[in-house]
Amino acid sequence: AQSVTQLDSQVPVFEEAPVELRCNYSSSVSVYLFWYVQYPNQGLQLLLKYLSGSTLVESINGFEAEFNKSQTSFHLRKPSVHISDTAEYFCAVSSGGGADGLTFGKGTHLIIQP
Amino acid sequence: DAGVIQSPRHEVTEMGQEVTLRCKPISGHNSLFWYRQTMMRGLELLIYFNNNVPIDDSGMPEDRFSAKMPNASFSTLKIQPSEPRDSAVYFCASSVVGLAGGNEQFFGPGTRLTVL
């Protein structure tokens, strides 16, 4: 069985400040890791994913996440946030690279304060 | 590309009524997933299909829930009879299995179901 823990349900930060959203997972098999973002009243959009290779993965809008196998973590970071980053962020794990269903964390609401 | 299409976007019904949610996956995608999102339980996988065949329905909460995929371009999730605790946002997602780069799941906008 797999599980994902997002330690913070809400993270308030000031605009242009750095942010880290924490994600830990547990699994008995090799996993693939994902971060999805959900804007109000919308579906989920893939932000970035780790399948193999380099443990540091980046998105096109400045987010990055690092896979740490020893700590079973996949924390999401951004050096400088914008108001437009306000959203719900979900960490997810899959043993099939997304070919099977995703197991999601409870989500972290990122609140950007001006 | 229109993306994953779900209908209706909002559904309000009374307890005991039958509810049918619909999903059209992205053309060419061969996997389809149904998820449910609630405040209490977060996002949960209900069932998924590969090439129109149900692969894992262990997340379907009760026999009141059923899902079908009669062809590659259409799927339904049916609740009969509906109960207030079924109130949630139901998401459909699709992907292409077998890509070397991994299988990103593309989500629809969701159907917000309210059972009174």
Side-chain angles (χ1 to χ4, degrees):
Chain A
Q2 300 166 141
S3 67
V4 177
T5 302
Q6 291 184 245
L7 297 169
D8 306 300
S9 59
Q10 282 192 100
V11 173
V13 296
F14 288 104
E15 194 173 15
E16 298 183 5
V19 69
E20 177 180 82
L21 307 183
R22 296 179 291 172
C23 172
N24 288 88
Y25 69 92
S26 66
S27 175
S28 58
V29 298
S30 296
V31 295
Y32 305 89
L33 294 155
F34 305 81
W35 275 99
Y36 278 81
V37 59
Q38 184 180 31
Y39 298 102
N41 299 313
Q42 294 187 27
L44 282 75
Q45 303 172 33
L46 181 67
L47 193 58
L48 45 76
K49 61 186 177 184
Y50 170 77
L51 303 177
S52 64
S54 173
T55 57
L56 183 66
V57 290
E58 299 177 350
S59 72
I60 58 174
N61 56 355
F63 283 94
E64 65 178 30
E66 185 159 19
F67 170 58
N68 188 319
K69 188 174 182 179
S70 63
Q71 298 186 8
T72 60
S73 68
F74 191 54
H75 301 330
L76 181 70
R77 303 184 183 94
K78 188 171 185 179
S80 176
V81 296
H82 303 284
I83 290 287
S84 59
D85 294 323
T86 297
E88 193 84 17
Y89 292 79
F90 293 92
C91 183
V93 65
S94 164
S95 59
D100 56 3
L102 296 169
T103 300
F104 284 92
K106 289 291 182 71
T108 298
H109 188 194
L110 179 59
I111 302 167
I112 310 300
Q113 301 167 327
Chain B
D1 194 335
V4 176
I5 298 172
Q6 291 186 248
S7 64
R9 291 293 308 277
H10 302 273
E11 176 80 31
V12 180
T13 190
E14 293 188 347
M15 182 174 62
Q17 297 297 306
E18 178 180 296
V19 175
T20 300
L21 311 182
R22 297 172 176 79
C23 175
K24 177 179 170 55
I26 293 172
S27 177
H29 284 194
N30 57 2
S31 287
L32 184 138
F33 307 81
W34 283 101
Y35 293 89
R36 178 173 67 174
Q37 184 178 36
T38 62
M39 289 293 291
M40 290 298 295
R41 301 175 66 89
L43 275 157
E44 304 172 282
L45 175 69
L46 299 177
I47 185 172
Y48 75 95
F49 298 82
N50 279 347
N51 296 317
N52 311 339
V53 176
I55 301 301
D56 183 358
D57 65 353
S58 61
M60 297 286 262
E62 300 172 34
D63 291 344
R64 298 183 297 106
F65 286 70
S66 63
K68 294 182 179 179
M69 192 164 185
N71 57 62
S73 58
F74 184 66
S75 176
T76 60
L77 178 67
K78 185 177 294 186
I79 308 172
Q80 166 63 20
S82 59
E83 297 183 3
R85 58 191 167 127
D86 301 331
S87 297
V89 180
Y90 291 82
F91 288 103
C92 176
S94 69
S95 71
V96 181
V97 174
L99 283 179
N103 307 293
E104 176 183 350
Q105 293 187 17
F106 293 81
F107 282 74
T111 295
R112 183 174 296 275
L113 173 65
T114 302
V115 183
L116 303 174

